Amino acid sequence: MSTISAPSDSGLSVATDSSLGAGLRRNYLSFPEVVAQSIGTIAPSGTPGLVIPVVFATAGNGTWLAYVFATIALLIVGLQINVFSKRIATPGSLYIYVTHGLGPLVGVIAGWALLVGYVFTASAVILGTVSTTLAFAHQIGIEASAVGVVLALSVVALVIAWWFAYRDIKLSTRVTLGIEFTTLVLILLTVVIFFAHRGSIADQAQTGLQDVHFEELRLGLVLAFFSFVGFESATVLGTESQQPQRYIPRAVITSVIGVGLIFIISSYGLVAGFHGIDPGLDKSDAPLTVLAQSFGGGFIGILISAGVALSFFACILGSINAGARVLYTLSHHGLFHNSARATHLAHASPHIAVTVVGIVALIFALALTIAGYGILDAYGILGSIATYGFLVAYGLVTIGAPVFLRRRGELRPWHIVSAAIALILLVVTLVGTVYPVPAWPYNILPYVFLVFLAIGVAYFLALRQLAPARLAQIEADLIGSAASPVEPAN
């Protein structure tokens, strides 16, 4: 067993064990596959089925406008992320970005927040997959909702997603791309046929914002924002991407704009389609199926229901892949057990990190089910914790972007303006999650998130006290060269 010091493209130099594998594949993924990583983590096909009805319950006829604002907000946040992704390519994603802007301690906060975000997203969408699978089964005449069935389906969904993530990132992204492309085409086709059958796309209630008030629209914007979390996950691919400093920034922006347009169109169509229908959109279990049935396309609705279930499955896959690569980088820097920085000798996947992220995500999903929470209640709880992780990471990268540019002598006034706007929008969104104070258990979820975050930060602070020499090496690696691609080397 030999130990070598292997410099990487970033200037990182970490002592590594040659038995840990040869590292992640370089120049491996094409642009569509890079986009698929972000698309899969967003799970846009699932939003019309589960999230848009919730946004409608708050924003009503302003649902489409909430998604317009959310798209613009996330686009501005994406520009801050791309300040780094155009210059740095790393599986550490926002963790490394924030470190280069604000230093190691704040970088660690961002890294653990992002890891919490991905793990709890995976956990939530395990249950989202179960819920939509059961809904599809109901539509074809199969009834199954016992706790044992939910637990079994949760395990099956995670194991299949784990296998894809363990096996190959290219296979994962291609599966994701196929699922999302097919389902989104069906969703858009349903909306188009609905309006063609209706004879007009005009809906005065929506374009005139009938009965929509500012406070309701603000709360709807907060919920719409949640539909996009994970849009940045292409950044975790680092040099696994071909031309990473070109493809990854494009993937971030493409994901926001493309998915945003789909959300705007589908929300407008769903709200228009449910005028005068009882139960309303906010009470419907399968709104896209109802919309398809309105013009005699019930079979399309059933296909969409199957696609939505697969979309949530793709989100499990995307979240595990993203979380594993953040954990892989944290491990490289001594902030997690050394084994998590191993890569598979044959598949070049971070297989230990993939397994850890998958197991932890499954444990939380199973725990809430066993504790008696309904599937959608548990989905909401886990998804809310995940959202806090993303909001913290996005906020820190937004603050770090102008600092990073100033250090490089590249700061311009518009960088400051866009960062300030992005930060204001993120703060508004964060405040909307805690005020007015939500009911139990959502009122304690910010503190639950802080506990998970504190665990990782405490380890870093303990390292500072107990192993200052090791910490000095880590900090030197983290703040080394940002001028060229960054990726830990084996």
Side-chain angles (χ1 to χ4, degrees):
M1 184 179 294
S2 61
T3 301
I4 59 174
S5 178
S8 75
D9 293 339
S10 66
L12 293 180
S13 180
V14 286
T16 60
D17 192 325
S18 59
S19 67
L20 294 176
L24 303 175
R25 287 190 175 99
R26 292 175 177 267
N27 303 314
Y28 188 48
L29 301 175
S30 65
F31 178 68
E33 292 162 347
V34 173
V35 173
Q37 172 58 39
S38 280
I39 296 296
T41 311
I42 299 172
S45 299
T47 289
L50 283 184
V51 184
I52 286 177
V54 177
V55 177
F56 172 78
T58 301
N61 287 315
T63 299
W64 68 274
L65 186 58
Y67 275 104
V68 169
F69 288 154
T71 301
I72 294 171
L74 270 298
L75 183 60
I76 298 172
V77 174
L79 293 176
Q80 313 314 308
I81 293 172
N82 280 353
V83 164
F84 296 96
S85 65
K86 289 178 179 179
R87 298 165 174 85
I88 303 171
T90 170
S93 185
L94 274 57
Y95 158 48
I96 299 296
Y97 296 172
V98 173
T99 298
H100 279 294
L102 301 175
L105 176 59
V106 183
V108 168
I109 294 173
W112 280 100
L114 194 62
L115 182 61
V116 169
Y118 288 134
V119 169
F120 277 87
T121 296
S123 190
V125 294
I126 287 172
L127 295 174
T129 303
V130 172
S131 176
T132 50
T133 299
L134 293 176
F136 170 71
H138 173 73
Q139 290 182 49
I140 60 175
I142 300 174
E143 299 296 337
S145 59
V147 171
V149 173
V150 173
L151 294 175
L153 287 176
S154 297
V155 173
V156 170
L158 184 280
V159 169
I160 296 174
W162 168 85
W163 183 85
F164 279 111
Y166 180 94
R167 180 65 178 80
D168 185 20
I169 185 64
K170 184 182 285 287
L171 178 63
S172 297
T173 54
R174 287 182 174 181
V175 167
T176 296
L177 193 61
I179 290 171
E180 291 295 346
F181 179 80
T182 303
T183 308
L184 290 174
V185 167
L186 288 173
I187 290 172
L188 293 176
L189 181 64
T190 299
V191 173
V192 169
I193 295 176
F194 163 75
F195 280 117
H197 182 264
R198 185 171 180 257
S200 172
I201 63 172
D203 184 359
Q204 185 60 39
Q206 291 192 76
T207 56
L209 298 178
Q210 182 178 320
D211 299 324
V212 176
H213 304 288
F214 174 78
E215 184 61 20
E216 295 168 337
L217 188 60
R218 183 185 71 84
L219 293 174
L221 171 61
V222 171
L223 295 169
F225 184 97
F226 297 162
S227 303
F228 289 85
V229 293
F231 77 97
E232 80 304 320
S233 69
T235 61
V236 305
L237 297 175
T239 52
E240 288 181 280
S241 165
Q242 299 169 10
Q243 304 181 50
Q245 293 167 321
R246 180 184 179 194
Y247 284 175
I248 290 175
R250 290 184 179 182
V252 170
I253 299 303
T254 298
S255 299
V256 174
I257 295 176
V259 169
L261 288 174
I262 290 167
F263 288 164
I264 294 165
I265 293 169
S266 57
S267 62
Y268 185 85
L270 283 171
V271 173
F274 270 81
H275 287 320
I277 292 181
D278 187 29
L281 177 57
D282 55 329
K283 301 293 193 303
S284 177
D285 294 330
L288 289 164
T289 299
V290 174
L291 191 67
Q293 289 171 343
S294 69
F295 58 80
F299 180 70
I300 296 176
I302 292 175
L303 290 178
I304 290 174
S305 294
V308 168
L310 291 172
S311 176
F312 277 101
F313 168 78
C315 189
I316 303 174
L317 183 53
S319 300
I320 290 176
N321 275 321
R325 280 155 177 79
V326 174
L327 185 62
Y328 165 82
T329 309
L330 288 167
S331 177
H332 265 281
H333 295 147
L335 301 173
F336 196 80
H337 192 274
N338 186 59
S339 62
R341 63 190 177 95
T343 52
H344 196 280
L345 292 175
H347 307 315
S349 63
H351 58 299
I352 301 299
V354 163
T355 303
V356 170
V357 169
I359 289 175
V360 173
L362 180 62
I363 287 172
F364 287 123
L366 296 181
L368 289 186
T369 302
I370 293 171
Y373 286 93
I375 297 176
L376 293 183
D377 290 334
Y379 172 85
I381 291 169
L382 295 166
S384 296
I385 295 173
T387 300
Y388 287 119
F390 288 115
L391 286 174
V392 168
Y394 295 165
L396 292 177
V397 81
T398 296
I399 295 170
V403 177
F404 175 71
L405 289 172
R406 181 175 60 82
R407 189 175 297 128
R408 292 170 58 92
E410 300 174 14
L411 185 64
R412 301 293 182 269
W414 77 269
H415 292 130
I416 299 173
V417 172
S418 64
I421 294 172
L423 189 60
I424 290 170
L425 293 171
L426 289 168
V427 169
V428 168
T429 303
L430 180 60
V431 170
T433 67
V434 296
Y435 180 82
V437 177
W440 169 271
Y442 290 89
N443 60 327
I444 68 165
L445 296 186
Y447 306 103
V448 173
F449 163 72
L450 289 174
V451 168
F452 285 112
L453 186 61
I455 293 172
V457 176
Y459 184 83
F460 178 81
L461 295 176
L463 191 65
R464 173 176 284 175
Q465 295 297 319
L466 300 175
R470 173 61 179 150
L471 180 65
Q473 181 188 3
I474 293 170
E475 291 183 342
D477 289 343
L478 286 171
I479 64 177
S481 169
S484 55
V486 176
E487 180 177 350
N490 278 335

